[in-house]
Amino acid sequence: LVHLDLGEGETEFLHLEYAGGDKLYVPVAQLHLISRYSASEPELVELHRLGTDRWDRAKRKAAQQVRDTAAELLALYARRAAREGHAFNFKEHDLEAFADGFGFEETPDQQAAIDAVVADMKSGKPMDRLVCGDVGFGKTEVAIRAAFKAVMAGKQVAILVPTTVLAMQHFSTFKKRFADYPVTIDMMSRFRTSSDVARTKMNLAEGKLDIVIGTHALLAKDIVIKNLGLLVIDEE
Protein backbone atom coordinates (compact mmCIF):
# COMPACT_ATOMS: atom_id res chain seq x y z
CA LEU A 1 0.00 0.00 0.00
CA VAL A 2 1.19 3.52 -0.83
CA HIS A 3 -0.11 7.01 -0.08
CA LEU A 4 -0.51 9.50 -2.98
CA ASP A 5 -1.91 13.00 -3.18
CA LEU A 6 -3.75 13.58 -6.47
CA GLY A 7 -4.91 17.06 -5.53
CA GLU A 8 -7.73 16.05 -3.23
CA GLY A 9 -5.70 15.08 -0.22
CA GLU A 10 -3.61 12.04 0.51
CA THR A 11 -5.26 8.76 -0.53
CA GLU A 12 -4.21 5.16 0.02
CA PHE A 13 -3.59 2.98 -3.04
CA LEU A 14 -2.63 -0.62 -3.71
CA HIS A 15 0.53 -0.65 -5.82
CA LEU A 16 0.56 -3.39 -8.50
CA GLU A 17 3.66 -3.98 -10.60
CA TYR A 18 3.56 -5.65 -14.02
CA ALA A 19 6.27 -6.99 -16.30
CA GLY A 20 8.57 -4.35 -17.74
CA GLY A 21 8.17 -2.13 -14.71
CA ASP A 22 4.59 -1.09 -15.53
CA LYS A 23 2.71 0.12 -12.47
CA LEU A 24 -0.96 0.34 -11.58
CA TYR A 25 -2.37 2.10 -8.52
CA VAL A 26 -5.76 0.88 -7.30
CA PRO A 27 -7.65 3.03 -4.73
CA VAL A 28 -8.43 1.14 -1.55
CA ALA A 29 -12.11 1.87 -2.19
CA GLN A 30 -11.88 -0.44 -5.21
CA LEU A 31 -10.02 -3.31 -3.59
CA HIS A 32 -13.05 -5.52 -4.22
CA LEU A 33 -11.93 -5.59 -7.85
CA ILE A 34 -8.65 -7.28 -6.86
CA SER A 35 -8.34 -10.97 -6.01
CA ARG A 36 -5.37 -13.08 -4.98
CA TYR A 37 -3.84 -15.22 -7.71
CA SER A 38 -3.45 -18.87 -6.67
CA ALA A 39 -0.71 -20.90 -8.30
CA SER A 40 1.50 -23.85 -7.45
CA GLU A 41 4.75 -22.00 -6.68
CA PRO A 42 5.13 -18.19 -6.48
CA GLU A 43 8.48 -18.26 -8.28
CA LEU A 44 6.85 -19.98 -11.27
CA VAL A 45 4.30 -17.20 -11.82
CA GLU A 46 4.83 -15.31 -15.09
CA LEU A 47 4.12 -11.57 -14.99
CA HIS A 48 2.41 -9.97 -18.01
CA ARG A 49 2.81 -6.46 -19.36
CA LEU A 50 0.08 -3.96 -18.69
CA GLY A 51 -2.19 -3.30 -21.68
CA THR A 52 -1.68 -6.63 -23.51
CA ASP A 53 -4.16 -9.46 -24.03
CA ARG A 54 -1.86 -12.21 -22.70
CA TRP A 55 -3.72 -12.37 -19.39
CA ASP A 56 -7.08 -12.66 -21.16
CA ARG A 57 -5.71 -15.45 -23.33
CA ALA A 58 -4.36 -17.25 -20.25
CA LYS A 59 -7.78 -16.98 -18.57
CA ARG A 60 -9.55 -18.31 -21.67
CA LYS A 61 -7.15 -21.26 -21.82
CA ALA A 62 -7.68 -22.02 -18.12
CA ALA A 63 -11.47 -21.81 -18.54
CA GLN A 64 -11.30 -24.27 -21.45
CA GLN A 65 -9.22 -26.68 -19.36
CA VAL A 66 -11.79 -26.43 -16.55
CA ARG A 67 -14.59 -27.25 -19.00
CA ASP A 68 -12.61 -30.21 -20.36
CA THR A 69 -11.97 -31.51 -16.85
CA ALA A 70 -15.65 -31.11 -15.94
CA ALA A 71 -16.66 -33.01 -19.08
CA GLU A 72 -14.26 -35.84 -18.21
CA LEU A 73 -15.65 -36.03 -14.66
CA LEU A 74 -19.23 -36.10 -15.93
CA ALA A 75 -18.37 -38.92 -18.32
CA LEU A 76 -16.59 -40.80 -15.54
CA TYR A 77 -19.49 -40.52 -13.11
CA ALA A 78 -21.95 -41.45 -15.85
CA ARG A 79 -20.01 -44.68 -16.45
CA ARG A 80 -19.94 -45.35 -12.71
CA ALA A 81 -23.68 -44.79 -12.40
CA ALA A 82 -24.33 -47.25 -15.23
CA ARG A 83 -22.14 -49.94 -13.71
CA GLU A 84 -23.55 -52.64 -11.50
CA GLY A 85 -21.75 -53.14 -8.20
CA HIS A 86 -21.89 -55.79 -5.51
CA ALA A 87 -24.77 -55.69 -3.04
CA PHE A 88 -23.32 -56.79 0.30
CA ASN A 89 -25.56 -59.01 2.38
CA PHE A 90 -24.92 -59.38 6.11
CA LYS A 91 -26.97 -60.04 9.19
CA GLU A 92 -27.88 -56.94 11.17
CA HIS A 93 -27.47 -58.65 14.53
CA ASP A 94 -23.90 -59.65 13.57
CA LEU A 95 -23.12 -56.00 12.82
CA GLU A 96 -24.70 -54.90 16.10
CA ALA A 97 -22.65 -57.45 18.04
CA PHE A 98 -19.48 -56.26 16.35
CA ALA A 99 -20.39 -52.62 17.09
CA ASP A 100 -20.74 -53.49 20.79
CA GLY A 101 -17.02 -54.26 20.83
CA PHE A 102 -16.16 -50.67 19.93
CA GLY A 103 -15.87 -49.61 23.55
CA PHE A 104 -17.02 -46.05 22.94
CA GLU A 105 -20.28 -44.32 22.13
CA GLU A 106 -20.47 -43.25 18.51
CA THR A 107 -20.71 -39.52 17.90
CA PRO A 108 -23.70 -38.36 15.80
CA ASP A 109 -21.45 -37.61 12.82
CA GLN A 110 -19.63 -40.91 13.17
CA GLN A 111 -22.91 -42.84 13.29
CA ALA A 112 -24.18 -40.91 10.27
CA ALA A 113 -21.05 -41.86 8.33
CA ILE A 114 -21.43 -45.52 9.34
CA ASP A 115 -25.09 -45.56 8.32
CA ALA A 116 -24.25 -43.95 4.97
CA VAL A 117 -21.54 -46.53 4.26
CA VAL A 118 -23.91 -49.37 5.19
CA ALA A 119 -26.53 -48.00 2.81
CA ASP A 120 -23.93 -47.71 0.05
CA MET A 121 -22.76 -51.28 0.50
CA LYS A 122 -26.31 -52.60 0.41
CA SER A 123 -27.34 -50.58 -2.64
CA GLY A 124 -25.69 -52.68 -5.33
CA LYS A 125 -24.04 -49.62 -6.87
CA PRO A 126 -20.27 -49.03 -6.81
CA MET A 127 -19.45 -47.06 -3.66
CA ASP A 128 -17.29 -43.95 -3.86
CA ARG A 129 -17.66 -42.19 -0.52
CA LEU A 130 -15.45 -39.59 1.14
CA VAL A 131 -15.34 -39.55 4.96
CA CYS A 132 -13.78 -36.38 6.41
CA GLY A 133 -12.85 -35.68 10.01
CA ASP A 134 -10.07 -34.39 12.21
CA VAL A 135 -7.52 -36.71 13.81
CA GLY A 136 -9.09 -38.69 16.65
CA PHE A 137 -12.69 -38.23 15.49
CA GLY A 138 -13.25 -41.91 14.67
CA LYS A 139 -12.73 -42.30 10.92
CA THR A 140 -10.85 -45.58 11.46
CA GLU A 141 -13.86 -47.15 13.17
CA VAL A 142 -16.00 -46.26 10.17
CA ALA A 143 -13.51 -48.11 7.96
CA ILE A 144 -13.44 -51.05 10.38
CA ARG A 145 -17.25 -51.38 10.29
CA ALA A 146 -17.16 -51.32 6.48
CA ALA A 147 -14.39 -53.93 6.46
CA PHE A 148 -16.45 -56.15 8.79
CA LYS A 149 -19.44 -55.98 6.46
CA ALA A 150 -17.31 -56.81 3.43
CA VAL A 151 -15.56 -59.75 5.09
CA MET A 152 -18.82 -61.16 6.48
CA ALA A 153 -20.16 -61.04 2.92
CA GLY A 154 -17.21 -63.12 1.70
CA LYS A 155 -15.12 -60.35 0.18
CA GLN A 156 -11.53 -59.25 0.73
CA VAL A 157 -10.55 -55.77 1.94
CA ALA A 158 -7.50 -53.61 1.18
CA ILE A 159 -6.55 -50.62 3.34
CA LEU A 160 -4.12 -48.25 1.61
CA VAL A 161 -2.23 -45.83 3.89
CA PRO A 162 0.43 -43.17 3.17
CA THR A 163 3.08 -44.16 5.72
CA THR A 164 4.59 -47.28 7.26
CA VAL A 165 3.92 -45.95 10.76
CA LEU A 166 0.22 -45.54 10.00
CA ALA A 167 0.13 -49.03 8.47
CA MET A 168 1.47 -50.45 11.73
CA GLN A 169 -1.05 -48.44 13.77
CA HIS A 170 -3.98 -49.62 11.66
CA PHE A 171 -2.71 -53.19 11.71
CA SER A 172 -2.69 -53.14 15.52
CA THR A 173 -6.14 -51.52 15.70
CA PHE A 174 -7.72 -53.93 13.22
CA LYS A 175 -6.20 -56.95 14.98
CA LYS A 176 -7.70 -55.83 18.30
CA ARG A 177 -11.15 -55.12 16.84
CA PHE A 178 -11.32 -58.46 15.01
CA ALA A 179 -9.71 -60.50 17.80
CA ASP A 180 -12.96 -62.40 18.52
CA TYR A 181 -13.68 -63.17 14.87
CA PRO A 182 -12.13 -65.69 12.45
CA VAL A 183 -10.76 -62.92 10.24
CA THR A 184 -7.23 -63.08 8.82
CA ILE A 185 -5.37 -59.74 8.73
CA ASP A 186 -1.89 -58.98 7.43
CA MET A 187 0.28 -55.99 6.58
CA MET A 188 2.62 -55.04 3.75
CA SER A 189 5.33 -52.44 4.30
CA ARG A 190 9.10 -52.00 4.18
CA PHE A 191 9.30 -53.39 7.73
CA ARG A 192 8.20 -56.83 6.51
CA THR A 193 10.74 -59.38 5.38
CA SER A 194 10.76 -60.58 1.78
CA SER A 195 9.45 -63.98 2.87
CA ASP A 196 6.58 -62.32 4.78
CA VAL A 197 5.68 -60.21 1.75
CA ALA A 198 5.77 -63.27 -0.54
CA ARG A 199 3.46 -65.15 1.83
CA THR A 200 1.06 -62.22 2.00
CA LYS A 201 0.95 -61.94 -1.80
CA MET A 202 0.22 -65.65 -2.13
CA ASN A 203 -2.56 -65.53 0.47
CA LEU A 204 -4.13 -62.51 -1.25
CA ALA A 205 -4.06 -64.21 -4.65
CA GLU A 206 -5.52 -67.43 -3.22
CA GLY A 207 -8.23 -65.63 -1.24
CA LYS A 208 -6.89 -66.85 2.11
CA LEU A 209 -6.35 -63.33 3.49
CA ASP A 210 -9.40 -61.28 4.48
CA ILE A 211 -7.89 -57.86 5.18
CA VAL A 212 -4.55 -56.45 4.02
CA ILE A 213 -3.15 -53.14 5.24
CA GLY A 214 -0.25 -51.53 3.46
CA THR A 215 1.47 -48.58 1.89
CA HIS A 216 2.00 -47.99 -1.84
CA ALA A 217 3.46 -51.52 -1.95
CA LEU A 218 -0.15 -52.66 -2.37
CA LEU A 219 -0.19 -50.94 -5.77
CA ALA A 220 2.61 -53.08 -7.22
CA LYS A 221 1.78 -54.77 -10.52
CA ASP A 222 2.38 -58.24 -9.08
CA ILE A 223 -0.28 -57.80 -6.36
CA VAL A 224 -3.35 -59.91 -7.13
CA ILE A 225 -6.37 -59.87 -4.83
CA LYS A 226 -8.66 -62.73 -5.70
CA ASN A 227 -11.97 -61.37 -4.41
CA LEU A 228 -11.52 -57.68 -3.56
CA GLY A 229 -14.76 -56.13 -2.37
CA LEU A 230 -13.66 -52.98 -0.57
CA LEU A 231 -10.75 -50.56 -0.96
CA VAL A 232 -10.19 -47.98 1.78
CA ILE A 233 -7.75 -45.14 1.02
CA ASP A 234 -6.59 -43.37 4.16
CA GLU A 235 -5.19 -39.98 3.13
CA GLU A 236 -4.38 -39.08 6.74
Side-chain angles (χ1 to χ4, degrees), residues 169-185:
Q169 291 175 351
H170 280 345
F171 180 64
S172 176
T173 301
F174 273 69
K175 290 285 285 185
K176 290 178 181 177
R177 286 292 279 117
F178 285 92
D180 296 331
Y181 293 85
V183 175
T184 55
I185 305 173

Side-chain angles (χ1 to χ4, degrees), residues 28 32 34 38-39 42 47 57 71 75 94 97 144 148 159 164 186 229:
V28 292
H32 62 281
I34 306 297
S38 298
L47 294 181
R57 282 187 280 130
D94 288 340
I144 287 174
F148 176 81
I159 312 291
T164 300
D186 209 341

Side-chain angles (χ1 to χ4, degrees), residues 72-132:
E72 292 175 4
L73 287 174
L74 286 173
L76 173 63
Y77 279 94
R79 291 196 298 271
R80 285 180 176 175
R83 259 175 44 206
E84 183 177 351
H86 178 77
F88 290 86
N89 295 313
F90 40 82
K91 298 177 181 178
E92 290 297 334
H93 69 270
D94 288 340
L95 179 58
E96 293 172 1
F98 183 76
D100 289 340
F102 180 36
F104 302 92
E105 183 177 351
E106 296 85 354
T107 66
D109 286 342
Q110 189 180 35
Q111 189 61 57
I114 293 171
D115 293 341
V117 169
V118 170
D120 281 348
M121 297 181 73
K122 287 182 176 179
S123 69
K125 293 183 178 181
M127 179 172 67
D128 184 11
R129 179 166 292 276
L130 176 65
V131 178
C132 297

